[in-house]
Amino acid sequence: MTYESAKARFADWGLETEVALDRLKTIPISMHCWQGDDVVGFETRSGSSGGGIQATGNHPGRARSPAELRADLDFAYSQIPGQHRLNLHAMYLDTDETPDRDAIEYRHFAPWVDWAKEQNLGLDFNPTFFGHAKADDNLTLSHPDQGIRDFWIEHGKRTRDIAARIGAELGSACINNNWVPDGYKDVPVDRMAARTRLEASLDAMLAEAKDHEQMCDAVESKLFGIGVEACTVGSHEFYMGYAIRKGTLLCLDMGHFHPTENIADKLSAVSLSLDRLLLHVSRPMRWDSDHVILLNDDILAMAHELVSADLLDRTAIGLDFFDATISRTAAWVIGTRNMQKALLRALLTPFDRLREAENRLDFTTRLTLTEEFKDLPFGAIWDEFCARHEVPTGLALNTSLEKYQFSVASRG
């Protein structure tokens, strides 16, 4: 089907494809750097990320240096329509120096900023509270030892300074997202003490006011992790309350909840109490297993809620998966494009008609329309979007992905 004929089909429903395409190209997806090297990073001590984080598989072609990672990212972005961002972890410094995490500075990441300027990309940032000798007990900001807490508080302060400088250099606010793996493998006696310490550490870490035009703080919860099965100190309830009180962004990671929870359902609920949200879009096959996202019901529901609840301008969309059983660059491309496809479908949903039926309690019409518009030719609209951005689709995309994977497969 041609784009013009598909456009006419959507017009019959009162939907303007040009409006949807114009909106879609303005929505940046923050692609996560850690898919490219299996969450190893570029510190001299690195090798195993730890902290309950595992990348499964040993597919050839893992990036072993910042230069290789940037080359892989360059290729991935060339296969994705639109203009996007990169989400960088503090363990991905690019320097010949070997600072500990409480001594990192902007200069250790300046090559990433120079690259981002060349590529016209925004950057986001994250402190790395795992994969370190002072995180071996799965306790960092909530550790009973004040010295350990002070080390991680200083790390968090420095990442905020770095993020603010990144945002100033790029002219685009850098989101500095805090995920802390703290918890207990077996049932703790005193959860309150651990959470009180975590709150005090966060307060100290985030105390210095920053220009929100340069940097925004976010906090991210988790249900549990490997080694912290009995108690995660930074639970959803802890961070939701903290974000509301302190005015930070709340990060909702689709893999960080119970497998039966509907994460899309949370968006409208928490948005009533928060100005802005951060999403980490992932696919939890078995809890937080971080598979490459598919164009499945969960992703479609997330996009639907973002558009239906008018939350696109209040929500930063990032990805968070790491699969080392497949081509890492292909994983980036497939996952990001699937998020965009879901957003396009949501932007081409007849919400006015559906709301009208729902408001008059005509649930039969709501169901009928919901099922019938699924047959509209979304694929032709997506193909047009890709063509306008000069990126391949279908078999041509597969050929491009395979060719690049072959070129990097010899990496040791």
Side-chain angles (χ1 to χ4, degrees):
M1 175 177 283
T2 67
Y3 171 69
E4 291 302 324
S5 58
K7 179 180 177 180
R9 288 279 305 277
F10 281 94
D12 290 341
W13 286 71
L15 298 167
E16 300 180 45
T17 58
E18 289 296 327
V19 173
L21 293 181
D22 285 343
R23 184 67 178 97
L24 183 61
K25 70 182 181 182
T26 68
I27 304 172
I29 309 297
S30 193
M31 209 165 70
H32 53 310
C33 73
W34 49 94
Q35 165 61 37
D37 81 323
D38 308 342
V39 208
V40 173
F42 302 128
E43 298 171 306
T44 56
R45 69 177 65 82
S46 61
S48 174
S49 57
I53 295 176
Q54 292 182 339
T56 304
N58 57 356
H59 198 78
R62 181 181 73 82
R64 302 161 299 179
S65 68
E68 288 184 349
L69 184 57
R70 285 194 285 267
D72 291 348
L73 287 162
D74 286 341
F75 167 74
Y77 286 122
S78 75
Q79 307 298 295
I80 301 166
Q83 201 64 41
H84 300 287
R85 303 177 67 85
L86 177 70
N87 197 4
L88 193 66
H89 241 284
M91 64 197 291
Y92 287 84
L93 66 178
D94 185 358
T95 177
D96 292 331
E97 301 178 48
T98 57
D100 208 345
R101 292 191 189 163
D102 64 342
I104 57 173
E105 297 182 13
Y106 171 79
R107 70 174 185 273
H108 301 132
F109 301 89
W112 284 105
V113 178
D114 293 339
W115 168 79
K117 288 179 180 178
E118 293 172 0
Q119 301 299 321
N120 194 26
L121 295 168
L123 287 179
D124 296 309
F125 205 59
N126 309 259
T128 305
F129 292 104
F130 55 85
H132 189 280
K134 291 186 177 179
D136 283 349
D137 296 319
N138 284 326
L139 294 170
T140 61
L141 292 178
S142 69
H143 201 289
D145 186 323
Q146 181 68 55
I148 299 292
R149 296 202 303 276
D150 287 344
F151 174 88
W152 290 112
I153 289 169
E154 182 62 25
H155 174 62
K157 288 180 176 179
R158 287 175 177 260
T159 65
R160 297 184 76 231
D161 291 341
I162 293 165
R165 176 72 180 277
I166 289 173
E169 291 286 337
L170 296 178
S172 174
C174 176
I175 294 176
N176 191 54
N177 181 51
N178 295 276
W179 173 71
V180 181
D182 292 32
Y184 297 93
K185 184 173 182 62
D186 214 336
V187 180
V189 172
D190 194 349
R191 298 169 190 261
M192 179 62 81
R195 285 177 172 145
T196 300
R197 291 192 294 266
L198 176 57
E199 181 182 50
S201 294
L202 288 168
D203 285 349
M205 197 172 75
L206 306 181
E208 182 181 350
K210 298 289 186 182
D211 184 348
H212 288 179
E213 295 296 317
Q214 298 177 354
M215 191 279 288
C216 297
D217 297 298
V219 291
E220 177 180 356
S221 67
K222 199 166 190 176
L223 178 61
F224 73 91
I226 298 170
V228 294
E229 292 87 349
C231 171
T232 298
V233 181
S235 64
H236 174 60
E237 293 77 12
F238 174 92
Y239 278 123
M240 183 169 66
Y242 191 88
I244 292 170
R245 293 196 311 277
K246 306 296 183 176
T248 71
L249 279 71
L250 178 66
C251 178
L252 300 176
D253 186 307
M254 292 181 70
H256 285 193
F257 295 86
H258 193 281
T260 61
E261 287 190 79
N262 180 351
I263 314 308
D265 178 66
K266 300 180 185 299
L267 294 180
S268 58
V270 299
S271 69
L272 294 174
S273 300
L274 292 164
D275 292 332
R276 292 195 64 201
L277 300 171
L278 171 62
L279 286 182
H280 277 187
V281 184
S282 183
R283 178 165 57 101
M285 189 175 294
R286 290 290 183 270
W287 178 67
D288 191 30
S289 48
D290 294 302
H291 295 262
V292 180
I293 63 173
L294 305 177
L295 189 61
N296 61 12
D297 287 346
D298 292 338
I299 303 304
L300 291 169
M302 185 66 75
H304 174 111
E305 196 70 13
L306 286 170
V307 176
S308 173
D310 195 22
L311 293 174
L312 281 175
D313 291 333
R314 296 170 54 192
T315 305
I317 304 173
L319 305 182
D320 188 0
F321 51 77
F322 33 97
D323 187 346
T325 68
I326 62 175
S327 164
R328 296 164 184 83
T329 49
W332 272 324
V333 173
I334 294 165
T336 308
R337 286 167 62 118
N338 277 340
M339 187 69 241
Q340 291 181 287
K341 289 180 182 179
L343 289 167
L344 178 60
R345 286 178 176 252
L347 291 167
L348 288 172
T349 296
F351 285 116
D352 289 344
R353 290 191 179 193
L354 292 170
R355 288 194 186 96
E356 182 183 356
E358 185 169 274
N359 289 336
R360 65 172 184 266
L361 306 184
D362 184 355
F363 303 138
T364 303
T365 295
R366 183 185 64 183
L367 179 60
T368 302
L369 296 178
T370 297
E371 294 306 302
E372 286 300 309
F373 77 75
K374 290 178 181 178
D375 295 328
L376 292 175
F378 293 98
I381 311 303
W382 171 254
D383 287 348
E384 177 69 14
F385 185 64
C386 289
R388 293 182 184 185
H389 290 267
E390 299 181 327
V391 302
T393 56
L395 295 176
L397 174 65
N398 188 65
T399 299
S400 182
L401 296 178
E402 285 185 341
K403 182 178 179 181
Y404 188 82
Q405 175 57 34
F406 180 79
S407 74
V408 301
S410 61
R411 291 175 181 168

